[in-house]
Amino acid sequence: MRAVTNLFRAAVLLLVSQTVLATPQQLLADLQHMRLAATNAVTNFYMFSGLDADSKYDRRIQQSMKRFAEALDSARQLAPLNGMADEMAAIEVDWKRLSELMAINRNDMLRQGFPNVRLVDEMGRKSADIVGKASAAYARLEDISGIRPSPVIEKARDLALLMEEITSQYAARGTSNLGQVFMGSYDRTLTEMAEDFHNELTLLEQLVRAPENDVLMDNVKSKWRFMEERIRNYNENTVPFLVVSYNDRIIEHLEELESRF
C-alpha cells in the first residue's frame, strides 16, 4: 500500500513539475506566434491593396488575424501565472488598435479601391510595436522563469520572424507606393536583412546537422536561394506573390524543425 501511495505522490509531483515547466514554454510559443501573425497580417494587406483587393489575400488577412487572436487568448490565461500581466495588457492595447486599423483599411480598399496612406503607415508601425513588445516580453519571461527553449528552437524562431519581416518589407516595396511609407519601421535595409538571414541560416544548419534533418534543411535552403536573389535585387522585376508563397513554406519548415527539438 505504501508503495502505491509513494508511486501516486511521485506521479503527482511529476505532473505538477511538467505543468509548471509547460506554462512558460507555452507562453513563449504564444508570443512567437503573435510576432509572426502580426507581421504576416500586414504583409497580406500590402498584397491585398497592391493586387486590387484580391480575395485570396483578403482571406489570408483574416487567417493571420485569427492566428494572432488565438495566440493572444492562450497568452492571456498564462500571463498572470508568469508575472507577465502588464506586458500582455500593453500588447492587447496595440492589438485592439491594429485590428481597428486593419478593418478601416480593408473597408477603404473594398469601398473606394485605395486605402488612406497615413492609416496604412500607422497600421504597419503598430504591427512593429506589437512585435517589439512581444519580443521584450519573450526575453523577460526567459529571464524570470529561467526557462529557455533549446538553441535550435531559439534560432529557428529568430529566423522565422526575420523571414516574415523581410517578406513584409519586400511586399510593401513590390506592390505599390506603400513601400515608401512603411520602410521607417525597420532599422535595416532589405539587403542587410537578407545578409543576416543568410548568416543565421548557416548557423542553424550547423546546429541541426544530422541525416534526419537534411531533407528539411535542403528545402529551406533551396527556397531561400530563390528568395535571396530577388530580395537582394528588389528594384529589378519584383515578384512579391512568389516571395510571399516561399515565405510561407520556409516558416512551415522552420516550425517543423522546432517540433523535433
Side-chain angles (χ1 to χ4, degrees):
M1 183 66 181
R2 181 177 297 176
V4 173
T5 301
N6 289 338
L7 183 62
F8 176 76
R9 288 175 177 170
V12 170
L13 287 173
L14 178 61
L15 180 61
V16 170
S17 64
Q18 288 177 336
T19 301
V20 171
L21 181 64
T23 298
Q25 290 280 31
Q26 181 59 52
L27 184 51
L28 288 170
D30 292 336
L31 290 165
Q32 169 69 358
H33 292 152
M34 283 189 278
R35 294 192 298 185
L36 297 181
T39 309
N40 191 257
V42 173
T43 300
N44 287 321
F45 179 81
Y46 292 149
M47 299 298 293
F48 175 67
S49 62
L51 297 175
D52 299 323
D54 188 311
S55 60
K56 171 185 174 180
Y57 291 99
D58 194 23
R59 290 192 298 272
R60 286 172 57 95
I61 290 170
Q62 300 307 310
Q63 290 166 359
S64 298
M65 300 293 279
K66 181 181 178 182
R67 284 196 298 271
F68 188 102
E70 290 172 347
L72 180 61
D73 285 344
S74 174
R76 188 184 291 116
Q77 299 176 48
L78 297 175
L81 303 176
N82 289 275
M84 303 291 292
D86 290 345
E87 287 82 357
M88 200 54 54
I91 291 172
E92 286 201 62
V93 170
D94 283 349
W95 166 244
K96 181 179 179 180
R97 180 56 180 162
L98 176 64
S99 299
E100 292 171 350
L101 289 165
M102 183 65 80
I104 293 169
N105 291 326
R106 282 182 63 251
N107 288 336
D108 283 348
M109 276 299 305
L110 293 170
R111 188 180 69 254
Q112 63 190 25
F114 58 90
N116 182 314
V117 174
R118 179 184 63 79
L119 295 180
V120 173
D121 176 50
E122 183 184 351
M123 182 177 70
R125 293 176 188 278
K126 189 57 63 179
S127 172
D129 288 343
I130 290 173
V131 171
K133 289 177 181 178
S135 296
Y138 190 105
R140 181 171 183 270
L141 179 56
E142 287 186 322
D143 287 341
I144 63 177
S145 70
I147 294 173
R148 286 174 170 77
S150 73
V152 171
I153 292 177
E154 292 282 59
K155 185 68 68 180
R157 287 178 178 175
D158 288 345
L159 277 166
L161 178 59
L162 180 55
M163 182 83 273
E164 288 283 11
E165 291 175 338
I166 288 171
T167 302
S168 193
Q169 186 173 152
Y170 186 91
R173 286 183 177 275
T175 54
S176 71
N177 62 353
L178 294 178
Q180 303 306 314
V181 175
F182 188 41
M183 293 309 99
S185 295
Y186 290 112
D187 296 328
R188 295 171 292 172
T189 66
L190 270 172
T191 301
E192 291 168 338
M193 295 167 80
E195 185 67 24
D196 285 346
F197 190 93
H198 180 91
N199 293 337
E200 294 301 311
L201 183 59
T202 300
L203 294 176
L204 177 63
E205 185 178 14
Q206 293 170 357
L207 287 172
V208 301
R209 187 162 289 160
E212 61 268 24
N213 297 322
D214 287 347
V215 171
L216 189 55
M217 286 305 300
D218 285 346
N219 285 334
V220 173
K221 289 188 296 180
S222 65
K223 292 176 176 63
W224 169 243
R225 282 194 295 270
F226 172 87
M227 292 181 68
E228 184 175 19
E229 181 180 350
R230 277 82 188 163
I231 289 164
R232 290 182 183 274
N233 301 287
Y234 54 83
N235 289 322
E236 303 174 10
N237 300 319
T238 55
V239 285
F241 53 95
L242 287 176
V243 168
V244 167
S245 177
Y246 274 59
N247 166 85
D248 292 350
R249 298 303 302 278
I250 288 176
I251 298 297
E252 289 174 5
H253 294 328
L254 290 171
E255 290 185 337
E256 181 180 346
L257 190 64
E258 272 190 54
S259 70
R260 298 183 180 185
F261 290 85

